[in-house]
Amino acid sequence: MNGLPNPSHSRAVLIGTSRFTKLPQLPAVRNNLSGLADLLRDDRILGLPAKHCVVIEDPVTSDDMLDPILDAAHEATDTLVVYYAGHGLPDLKSGELHLALVGSDRQRMYTAVFYGNVRDALLESQADRRVVMLDCCYSGRALRFMGGDRASAVVDQASAEGTYVMTATAENKEALAEPGEVYTAFTAELLATLHDGIPGRGKLLDMDTIFNHIRGNMRAKSRPIPQKSDRNTAGQLTLVRNQARRWTLGRNRARRKRHSMPPPMEAQPFEADGKARESADRRAREEQARQEREGTNRRAREEQARQEREGAIRRAREEQARQEREGAIRRAREEQARQEREGAIRRAREEQARQEREGADRRVREEQARRAREDERQELGMEARRALEFLETIERLRAGPPGAGKPAGPLEL
């Protein structure tokens, strides 16, 4: 398509993560979002309505990132633009690209958003033009998992059929912006190209023209070289008006006006010209006031949306902290109950063992007493038998031998 995108049928989703809990901070990303949103909403460049250009700042969950993309993909029928700035995390095993969230961790890929999910959302769209701009980096360790040409491997991984993809770099650089710079390196060139245009080009800029201009400027500044991938001649699709063309035409008109011959004095309607100038000045002031009001309203809406997002994030964190506290209390109670159960079981077992030991001791003592009684009875019986035998012996001795008479006197022993 060679015409300018229809703003009513086009959508843009600008996503950026500037603050992280486990990764280096990227404060320039916040400026990237506001700068790019202002340019895409500018009537002189593309003119997207504010509601068609959604800004997602510091997404916390994958839903925060993917839901707006999917919504825009379903709504767009002309052009769909998806922009991400932040940390790019390649999976250390598969090398697949992940986009970092606020709480993403390099060692836990599930804490980031798999780019394949973004690609699937793009494939859901019926838009004629699909543009993806990724201002994120890849480490050298990740590139070792990609075969063939390293740059094309990264870009091919991110591309989807019918989509134009621009990436900030395919090199192993972690820093996206030099210290003190307002924007990240790639986005700074993108914003300058959209704002200033490209001299010597037509009134509309296509994707390849924009990319080649950015690539040339990055190469001249010895910065990481951007990469791109396009399918089905997507590079010829126009995206914005060329601002350099507008400035050139304005200068040409001013030059022609300076060199043109003025009309004869008698033919100059001074009064009419003065009223026309006053009317033009009034309209200019009204237009300026209108733009300032719209800018104020837009900034107020953006501030309100930012506060709502921050409030939602804060409430989500508070809810998460509350759930964590409740979970900790619940686990502490469960642990206490478990310990009490185990203590009760242990005490019951100890009591049972004690009772068993006492019963065994009691039975041993009873058995010993019984045996002692039996031994005593046996001893008494033996003594009784010996006494009886002794008495019998005495009686026999006193009686004498059989047939003998009764002894004359007592038996002397």
Side-chain angles (χ1 to χ4, degrees):
M1 298 178 65
N2 296 322
L4 193 69
N6 186 336
S8 300
H9 301 155
S10 300
R11 300 291 186 272
V13 182
L14 312 182
I15 306 167
T17 310
S18 61
R19 59 182 183 85
F20 302 89
T21 59
K22 300 179 181 179
L23 296 172
Q25 306 302 308
L26 298 173
V29 169
R30 177 173 297 180
N31 299 327
N32 290 1
L33 295 177
S34 59
L36 185 56
D38 289 342
L39 292 177
L40 294 181
R41 294 168 181 168
D42 193 329
D43 293 336
R44 297 168 298 180
I45 297 176
L46 180 56
L48 285 179
K51 63 180 180 180
H52 292 174
C53 183
V54 180
V55 177
I56 308 299
E57 185 176 336
D58 293 332
V60 176
T61 66
S62 58
D63 292 346
D64 294 341
M65 182 182 296
L66 294 175
D67 285 349
I69 296 177
L70 194 58
D71 292 341
H74 289 158
E75 296 171 1
T77 57
D78 188 316
T79 299
L80 173 62
V81 177
V82 176
Y83 168 89
Y84 172 80
H87 283 296
L89 304 178
D91 190 293
L92 299 183
K93 294 182 179 179
S94 65
E96 293 176 333
L97 176 63
H98 291 69
L99 307 181
L101 301 167
V102 170
S104 293
D105 187 342
R106 293 184 187 276
Q107 305 303 322
R108 295 173 174 83
M109 281 296 109
Y110 59 84
T111 60
V113 176
F114 174 43
Y115 180 82
N117 296 332
V118 177
R119 182 174 51 204
D120 292 342
L122 294 172
L123 293 174
E124 293 284 335
S125 178
Q126 298 300 316
D128 295 323
R129 297 175 256 219
R130 289 171 289 185
V131 178
V132 179
M133 291 176 279
L134 301 176
D135 192 351
C136 54
C137 56
Y138 312 92
S139 66
R141 183 177 182 182
L143 294 177
R144 292 200 299 269
F145 289 87
M146 302 174 186
D149 179 72
R150 298 186 300 176
S152 61
V154 176
V155 175
D156 288 343
Q157 180 198 20
S159 63
E161 188 67 26
T163 301
Y164 194 99
V165 181
M166 281 196 292
T167 63
T169 177
E171 301 295 331
N172 57 343
K173 294 183 180 294
E174 295 186 357
L176 292 177
E178 296 294 336
E181 292 191 353
V182 179
Y183 306 106
T184 60
F186 171 77
T187 299
E189 294 298 333
L190 173 64
L191 296 179
T193 301
L194 298 182
H195 182 271
D196 300 334
I198 303 175
R201 298 293 181 174
K203 64 179 181 179
L204 301 178
L205 296 178
D206 60 44
M207 294 306 305
D208 271 343
T209 301
I210 295 173
F211 172 78
N212 291 330
H213 184 73
I214 295 174
R215 183 184 178 93
N217 289 343
M218 297 287 282
R219 187 188 300 274
K221 296 177 181 178
S222 299
R223 293 199 167 187
I225 306 301
Q227 305 296 323
K228 65 106 174 180
S229 175
D230 57 335
R231 303 290 178 89
N232 297 337
T233 67
Q236 301 174 12
L237 301 178
T238 57
L239 181 63
V240 295
R241 297 180 179 88
N242 186 3
Q243 295 303 293
R245 176 78 172 179
R246 185 171 67 89
W247 298 123
T248 301
L249 293 176
R251 287 193 297 270
N252 291 339
R253 283 195 296 268
R255 188 180 300 111
R256 286 195 299 268
K257 185 176 181 180
R258 286 196 302 271
H259 292 284
S260 62
M261 292 297 292
M265 292 295 294
E266 64 273 17
Q268 293 182 6
F270 295 105
E271 184 178 357
D273 285 350
K275 292 181 178 179
R277 284 196 298 273
E278 290 178 359
S279 177
D281 291 342
R282 185 177 64 255
R283 288 195 298 272
R285 288 193 298 271
E286 292 174 352
E287 176 65 18
Q288 181 179 1
R290 184 188 64 81
Q291 291 180 355
E292 289 178 354
R293 286 194 304 273
E294 289 182 353
T296 301
N297 293 336
R298 182 177 67 251
R299 289 190 294 272
R301 290 193 297 270
E302 292 174 351
E303 177 64 18
Q304 181 180 1
R306 184 187 65 80
Q307 292 177 356
E308 291 177 352
R309 288 195 301 272
E310 290 181 353
I313 293 172
R314 184 176 62 254
R315 289 190 295 274
R317 290 175 176 168
E318 291 173 352
E319 176 65 18
Q320 182 180 3
R322 184 187 63 80
Q323 293 179 355
E324 290 177 353
R325 287 195 301 271
E326 292 180 352
I329 293 172
R330 185 177 61 254
R331 289 190 295 272
R333 289 174 178 171
E334 292 174 353
E335 177 64 17
Q336 181 180 1
R338 183 187 64 80
Q339 292 178 356
E340 290 177 353
R341 288 195 301 271
E342 291 181 351
I345 294 172
R346 184 176 61 253
R347 289 190 296 274
R349 290 175 177 171
E350 292 174 351
E351 178 64 20
Q352 181 180 0
R354 184 186 64 78
Q355 293 177 357
E356 290 177 353
R357 287 195 302 271
E358 291 179 353
D361 293 341
R362 186 176 61 254
R363 287 191 295 273
V364 168
R365 289 193 298 270
E366 293 174 351
E367 178 66 18
Q368 290 176 347
R370 185 184 63 80
R371 290 182 179 179
R373 289 193 299 271
E374 289 182 356
D375 292 344
E376 185 178 356
R377 285 196 298 270
Q378 291 177 359
E379 183 67 23
L380 292 175
M382 291 177 63
E383 291 179 356
R385 284 195 298 274
R386 285 196 295 270
L388 182 59
E389 290 176 355
F390 180 73
L391 292 175
E392 290 177 353
T393 302
I394 291 175
E395 288 296 331
R396 284 195 302 272
L397 291 176
R398 291 181 64 183
K406 194 178 241 183
L411 181 63
E412 293 183 1
L413 298 179

